[in-house]
Amino acid sequence: MIPDISKSLIWLRENPNILCSLRYIKRGVEREGLRITQSGKLANTLHPKVFGKALTHPWITTDFSESLLEFITPTHTDVKYILTFLQDLYRYSILNLNGELIWPLSMPCFIDNPNNIIIAKYGDSNIGRFKTLYREGLKHRYGSLMQIISGVHYNFSFPSIFWNEWKKNNFQNKRNLSISDGYFNLIRNYYRFNWLIPYLFGTSPAISGSFLQGKEKRFFLKKGVKNTYYLPYATSLRMSSLGYTNDIQDKLTISYNNLKNYIKNLKNAMSKPFAKFSKLGIKNKIGQYIQINTNLLQIENEFYAPIRPKRILKNHRSLIDALSKDGIEYLEIRILDINPFNHIGVDKLQINFLDLFLIWCLCADSPPMNKKEFKVCKINFKNVVLKGRKPGQVIYVLNKKTLIPIREVAKSFFHDLLKIAYLLDMALNTKYEKICIKLMNMVENPELTYSGQLLSSILEKGIDEYGLELAKNYYQKVKKESYQILNNNDFYHKKLYSIEKQKRLEKENKISFDDYLKMYFLKKY
């Protein structure tokens, strides 16, 4: 039922230096959040000038919309440092919004009119225009509402010293394994058990009626108070087909068995015209671009995977090019909802669990995954995000041959997780065992999960009122706090830096945007 980790446990137990190397895991957080008005509606103002330029600011930028802030921490080995840095970013931002607030939930606030959602602008450089056009394409392909759903992305990488020992380890029974091979081993097990993350930490069991646009009947949603719709046992509507996934990309076949096939599949999706998008055309009737191309994916980032292999990009390289030449550098975990119980949207418990979970995913046996097994993984995930807390809810194991209650599978999983936690606690003086025990209580009692705790509060007040009240409370809380790592001077200099860097990019434009698009794809392929 659970992949075997016995050989890895022996390897770790006999090599305490390898365990110690895990203190150098690198982490980073990207947290999104909508700017809202004091009445709880989407702010239709442009990205505040006080932050500088969203295109070039390393910490405070935008995602799809001018209203959708994104906070980016630097990578670091210390979880406390990352969360404190994020707290400083949040504090500076909310205190400089001229009365606006930050929506504390993943699913959007009340939206008067989706047509009023302003696509993010990044200036007149070819790079900036490309980023805006990509978002224009998303709007025409999927609609703006889907694109302003918010989440937390967690970036994770093992240290090089760990990989050096991993590659030498005899239990792999293979030669010349690369770091990318190791990350794909991890990714396959991640897909097999990633339903645990929304089960424990999903925080979008309900949604504002303004988001639905008549879809409530299609998803059999129940009507709550004050324009609130919900599913009684849902964990993360954000990660359902109602949220940030779509039927179109279900047509994609992406292999996670090795880097070569992964890149081949992505390239195919990015070069294959898709009928629905071809009908839109590349330009509108007055000659303005409305999407980058008519392919199934405009660029790699349009692939809404719950985990992405990544590299830091330099010199305007594409991700595919960077992965092809240099392999995987880190992983981006993309299925965390905004945590409304913490003003920065994520907490230490979640980060610690993800670390432990990802270590397990690498250490456990991870045979190649065929299309049938991948489909089963997606079914399990869908069932958990829509009805994961339902008493007796079952999921498939052993490649759709057996149905077993979630509770039993999760308990078996945590049994193995505890073994890794024990070794880490002994080597690093951490508290992973306590974390496992706390999370096992959520498995035993689903009402203790984040979605279980949240739903009763939302149903009492209505999601729009609940979210607005929480946003105001967090504003008052942050006003009383002080910076821990950064200060106003740091933000001022980063603002100037972003402005000057964008000016340089715009001066560097040596070709037309039409030619830039042609050159971009010539380089990729």
Side-chain angles (χ1 to χ4, degrees):
M1 182 165 66
I2 303 295
D4 184 35
I5 62 165
S6 58
K7 293 177 182 177
S8 291
L9 288 174
I10 294 171
W11 172 60
L12 292 172
R13 196 177 293 119
E14 293 179 350
N15 295 274
N17 60 311
I18 297 173
L19 284 167
C20 290
S21 75
L22 294 175
R23 72 171 72 250
Y24 302 112
I25 286 172
K26 285 188 177 180
R27 310 162 175 89
V29 172
E30 303 166 21
R31 181 260 163 106
E32 300 163 342
L34 285 171
R35 289 187 289 109
I36 62 170
T37 66
Q38 287 285 333
S39 62
K41 296 180 180 179
L42 183 69
N44 289 323
T45 50
L46 299 179
H47 185 61
K49 291 183 179 180
V50 68
F51 300 147
K53 299 297 183 179
L55 176 66
T56 47
H57 200 294
W59 303 332
I60 305 173
T61 182
T62 53
D63 193 83
F64 172 79
S65 168
E66 285 285 286
S67 305
L68 185 53
L69 289 169
E70 183 173 10
F71 306 132
I72 303 172
T73 74
T75 57
H76 204 277
T77 58
D78 185 356
V79 174
K80 182 179 179 181
Y81 179 90
I82 292 167
L83 296 179
T84 304
F85 199 102
L86 183 58
Q87 185 170 311
D88 282 353
L89 296 181
Y90 181 92
R91 180 178 187 275
Y92 178 80
S93 299
I94 200 168
L95 294 181
N96 285 276
L97 289 181
N98 292 323
E100 293 177 349
L101 302 166
I102 297 176
W103 185 246
L105 301 172
S106 276
M107 299 308 286
C109 59
F110 182 84
I111 307 294
D112 284 318
N113 184 347
N115 294 325
N116 293 333
I117 298 172
I118 304 171
I119 293 175
K121 311 296 182 185
Y122 296 104
D124 295 326
S125 69
N126 283 329
I127 298 169
R129 291 182 64 185
F130 185 87
K131 286 173 68 74
T132 296
L133 177 57
Y134 166 60
R135 286 154 175 76
E136 187 75 31
L138 296 178
K139 170 187 173 181
H140 288 282
R141 291 171 173 226
Y142 312 110
S144 295
L145 279 175
M146 171 184 162
Q147 301 303 321
I148 60 169
I149 297 171
S150 304
V152 173
H153 298 165
Y154 181 56
N155 299 319
F156 174 98
S157 64
F158 287 102
S160 57
I161 186 174
F162 175 88
W163 283 123
N164 291 337
E165 294 300 320
W166 180 85
K167 286 190 287 185
K168 291 189 295 185
N169 182 24
N170 290 328
F171 82 80
Q172 296 294 333
N173 294 319
K174 294 181 181 178
R175 297 297 177 189
N176 301 319
L177 284 174
S178 68
I179 291 174
S180 293
D181 290 323
Y183 276 126
F184 275 113
N185 282 1
L186 185 160
I187 289 170
R188 291 193 296 275
N189 277 335
Y190 175 89
Y191 271 103
R192 290 172 176 126
F193 291 90
N194 64 356
W195 51 266
L196 264 167
I197 299 171
Y199 175 82
L200 296 168
F201 303 127
T203 55
S204 51
I207 194 169
S208 172
S210 67
F211 179 87
L212 290 167
Q213 306 285 300
K215 296 178 183 177
E216 55 271 18
K217 292 182 180 179
R218 174 185 165 193
F219 290 91
F220 304 101
L221 296 172
K222 295 183 178 295
K223 179 73 164 63
V225 300
K226 300 178 182 178
N227 204 34
T228 298
Y229 289 84
Y230 69 102
L231 288 176
Y233 304 113
T235 62
S236 178
L237 294 179
R238 166 180 169 263
M239 293 306 300
S240 74
S241 55
L242 180 61
Y244 211 66
T245 60
N246 62 74
D247 296 335
I248 292 173
Q249 292 197 8
D250 278 344
K251 303 177 187 297
L252 281 173
T253 300
I254 304 293
S255 170
Y256 293 98
N257 290 329
N258 56 64
L259 183 60
K260 181 180 178 180
N261 285 337
Y262 175 80
I263 291 173
K264 178 182 177 181
N265 295 155
L266 263 189
K267 281 186 175 181
N268 183 55
M270 293 170 58
S271 59
K272 182 178 180 181
F274 186 64
K276 181 178 178 180
F277 302 152
S278 295
K279 288 180 181 178
L280 292 172
I282 292 178
K283 295 182 178 180
N284 61 19
K285 294 179 180 179
I286 59 174
Q288 296 173 324
Y289 281 105
I290 60 171
Q291 57 180 339
I292 292 173
N293 54 46
T294 60
N295 300 332
L296 188 56
L297 300 178
Q298 297 177 93
I299 58 176
E300 303 97 321
N301 285 352
E302 192 172 335
F303 179 42
Y304 299 131
I307 186 170
R308 284 178 180 167
K310 300 289 286 284
R311 280 202 77 85
I312 295 173
L313 302 181
K314 299 177 181 178
N315 301 321
H316 314 314
R317 293 170 75 187
S318 71
L319 178 59
I320 279 185
D321 180 50
L323 290 175
S324 298
K325 292 180 178 178
D326 300 314
I328 300 171
E329 184 176 6
Y330 68 96
L331 298 176
E332 180 186 44
I333 312 305
R334 298 169 49 83
I335 58 177
L336 275 183
D337 287 350
I338 300 293
N339 179 352
F341 302 115
N342 192 303
H343 63 290
I344 61 173
V346 62
D347 62 32
K348 186 177 180 181
L349 175 69
Q350 293 173 291
I351 299 298
N352 286 334
F353 171 75
L354 286 177
D355 287 348
L356 193 57
F357 178 73
L358 295 171
I359 292 169
W360 178 91
C361 285
L362 178 66
C363 289
D365 286 351
S366 184
M369 181 180 284
N370 58 30
K371 293 179 183 179
K372 181 179 179 181
E373 184 183 5
F374 188 67
K375 183 178 180 180
V376 171
C377 291
K378 293 174 75 172
I379 292 171
N380 283 341
F381 189 82
K382 177 182 177 180
N383 285 336
V384 170
V385 299
L386 292 177
K387 51 186 177 181
R389 288 182 291 103
K390 184 178 180 180
Q393 178 61 40
V394 294
I395 58 172
Y396 289 107
V397 296
L398 303 177
N399 205 6
K400 205 174 179 178
K401 294 179 180 178
T402 310
L403 281 168
I404 297 181
I406 286 176
R407 180 180 172 184
E408 288 186 28
V409 181
K411 286 172 69 175
S412 180
F413 177 86
F414 272 104
H415 178 73
D416 275 0
L417 211 60
L418 275 167
K419 296 175 183 176
I420 296 178
Y422 173 78
L423 293 177
L424 289 172
D425 288 352
M426 291 292 289
L428 305 178
N429 194 30
T430 49
K431 298 180 179 179
Y432 285 114
E433 276 192 289
K434 288 185 178 180
I435 291 165
C436 286
I437 292 169
K438 183 172 183 177
L439 295 176
M440 287 170 69
N441 288 334
M442 294 185 188
V443 172
E444 292 290 344
N445 185 357
E447 296 311 303
L448 295 178
T449 62
Y450 284 24
S451 60
Q453 295 179 60
L454 181 64
L455 186 57
S456 58
S457 297
I458 288 178
L459 293 183
E460 180 183 346
K461 298 181 178 180
I463 190 167
D464 296 327
E465 182 178 325
Y466 174 81
L468 179 59
E469 181 181 303
L470 199 58
K472 290 181 176 179
N473 289 342
Y474 283 151
Y475 173 75
Q476 294 300 325
K477 170 184 170 61
V478 166
K479 280 175 64 177
K480 301 173 184 177
E481 295 177 345
S482 58
Y483 294 119
Q484 301 296 312
I485 297 173
L486 302 170
N487 56 50
N488 284 318
N489 198 42
D490 293 323
F491 287 106
Y492 176 72
H493 285 294
K494 280 293 183 256
K495 169 189 172 181
L496 295 182
Y497 164 84
S498 71
I499 292 170
E500 289 303 313
K501 187 173 181 180
Q502 179 161 314
K503 284 181 180 178
R504 289 198 303 271
L505 288 173
E506 291 172 353
K507 286 181 180 179
E508 289 171 3
N509 276 359
K510 296 180 180 178
I511 58 175
S512 69
F513 186 58
D514 288 342
D515 289 338
Y516 177 84
L517 286 179
K518 293 174 185 177
M519 292 295 294
Y520 180 85
F521 287 102
L522 282 174
K523 288 180 187 177
K524 291 178 81 66
Y525 304 116

